[in-house]
Amino acid sequence: MSVKIHPSWQAVLADEFEKPYWQELVSFVREEYSKNECFPKQGDIFRAFDVTPFGSVKVVILGQDPYHTPGIATGMCFSVPDGTKVPPSIKNIFKEIKSDIGISRTKADLADWAEQWVLLLNCVLTVRAHAAGSHYEKWWEMFTDEVIRLLSEKREHLVFILWGNYAITKQSLIDGNKHLVITSSHPSPFSARKSFFGSRPFSKANEYLKKWGMEEIAW
């Protein structure tokens, strides 16, 4: 596994790359990719970090692990390439955008969000094909937990959007006195009606950014 990561992340995470678990993680990922079909492609594992520098992050959206269906994992949570089938969770995200801020979005490639400094972070960055959750508890969480903690510690006035029970468990890593934390059920069809629909995360995020003198996100 080659680590392509923006220099600002490289600097802030330098200590992580020296920890024993990191070598275990690298060895695991290399073996998995050599023996199995895994996603995203190796060059995109750290794409979210490469597109959205540490010092520029304004919003963090947490996902779980990459799509395990061939051809749609992009290295950024929830995002899929244009021209591919739009997953149900993204369709529900679009419904909430329309209800919340009146924007009719159809573009499921969310790279434009990342380029506006929305970190689209999966808590587990790789997955084996057709096996959701197959790389859980294989050291990725130790890495991404530290990413969340460092963002909370070293930055101010960020928006953390946590959808679903798994993402909400990461709230303990975030200083709620320094940052806005938005939680709801996951946008999956199985849970969106519990508290995702009507949660208005997009307008809430923009109101908070505007309050602190930052440019709003064009969702």
Side-chain angles (χ1 to χ4, degrees), residues 16-152:
E16 286 307 290
F17 299 139
E18 300 300 322
K19 292 181 179 178
Y21 88 85
W22 181 257
Q23 295 309 315
E24 298 277 2
L25 172 59
V26 169
S27 297
F28 167 75
V29 172
R30 283 176 176 164
E31 183 173 6
E32 280 288 287
Y33 274 75
S34 68
K35 293 182 177 179
N36 305 288
E37 186 179 19
C38 296
F39 306 120
K41 61 184 180 181
Q42 288 197 54
D44 285 343
I45 292 174
F46 296 97
R47 186 177 173 213
F49 298 89
D50 209 42
V51 176
T52 310
F54 177 81
S56 299
V57 174
K58 297 196 293 190
V59 179
V60 181
I61 297 179
L62 287 186
Q64 297 181 15
D65 61 342
Y67 297 112
H68 57 87
T69 304
I72 63 172
T74 65
M76 298 186 292
C77 71
F78 293 104
S79 181
V80 300
D82 283 337
T84 56
K85 185 177 180 180
V86 179
S89 291
I90 298 185
K91 290 181 179 179
N92 285 338
I93 290 170
F94 291 170
K95 288 178 183 177
E96 182 61 17
I97 291 173
K98 177 65 174 177
S99 172
D100 185 7
I101 56 177
I103 301 297
S104 298
R105 184 178 175 108
T106 58
K107 185 177 176 64
D109 182 342
L110 306 180
D112 60 304
W113 290 3
E115 291 164 358
Q116 297 176 77
W117 317 136
V118 178
L119 181 65
L120 299 170
L121 178 65
N122 276 316
C123 293
V124 175
L125 301 188
T126 58
V127 69
R128 193 183 300 173
H130 311 296
S134 51
H135 289 182
Y136 278 112
E137 299 182 353
K138 301 294 185 182
W139 303 284
W140 274 128
E141 295 94 331
M142 295 177 70
F143 174 69
T144 54
D145 280 2
E146 185 65 7
V147 168
I148 297 165
R149 190 191 69 77
L150 286 167
L151 282 165
S152 176

Side-chain angles (χ1 to χ4, degrees), residues 204-216:
K204 288 176 181 177
N206 278 349
E207 287 165 7
Y208 184 80
L209 294 174
K210 185 177 180 180
K211 172 185 173 181
W212 290 105
M214 289 178 275
E215 188 174 352
E216 299 172 62

